Amino acid sequence: MARRDHAAYRFDVADLRELPFEDASLVGAVCWYSLIFLAPPDRQAAFGELYRVVKPGGYLVTAFKAGTSQVRRAGRSSNLGVEFDLYWQTPQEMEQGVTDAGFTTVFWGGVPADGPDSPAQGYLLAHKPVAQAPR
């Protein structure tokens, strides 16, 4: 749909755990509600890959549904015949994941839940430090 609706732009499909980009080749990365599809054991590989492909001085921004990392089954209401798992992560888990990968947190914010069908939302901006010159 993205290619059809925005033919002037390039779109690639990739696995966050194995990104098809050179080391330090991106100024930044946006993971807008995409990390919620990774099971907790797979997240650190994704954070590591994001760190690998972002240039020193670059940024990672992510949005996520805040929760307890319990699996939720989704897709039934889409009428596409496809179901999938979602993991609503705690803000602490998200921040720990990016800092364990080497990023530093610049900003963390959130929006409270608005009922059972509208969970709390989290937003995290992280920075990849510029390497210090040896003394």
Side-chain angles (χ1 to χ4, degrees), residues 44-111:
Q44 204 53 45
F47 289 128
E49 274 294 276
L50 290 161
Y51 186 84
R52 179 187 67 78
V53 301
V54 171
K55 293 179 181 184
Y59 291 90
L60 166 65
V61 63
T62 184
F64 56 96
K65 294 184 179 190
T68 61
S69 284
Q70 291 180 336
V71 66
R72 288 169 166 62
R73 200 71 171 145
R76 292 181 184 121
S77 63
S78 68
N79 295 324
L80 297 175
V82 177
E83 293 184 13
F84 47 89
D85 293 336
L86 295 173
Y87 301 88
W88 295 356
Q89 301 138 1
T90 68
Q92 296 80 13
E93 287 175 303
M94 289 296 290
E95 187 165 15
Q96 188 69 52
V98 299
T99 57
D100 284 353
F103 290 100
T104 57
T105 300
V106 174
F107 171 81
W108 142 240
V111 177

Side-chain angles (χ1 to χ4, degrees), residues 11 37 93 102 104 130:
F11 294 93
F37 298 99
E93 287 175 303
T104 57
V130 177

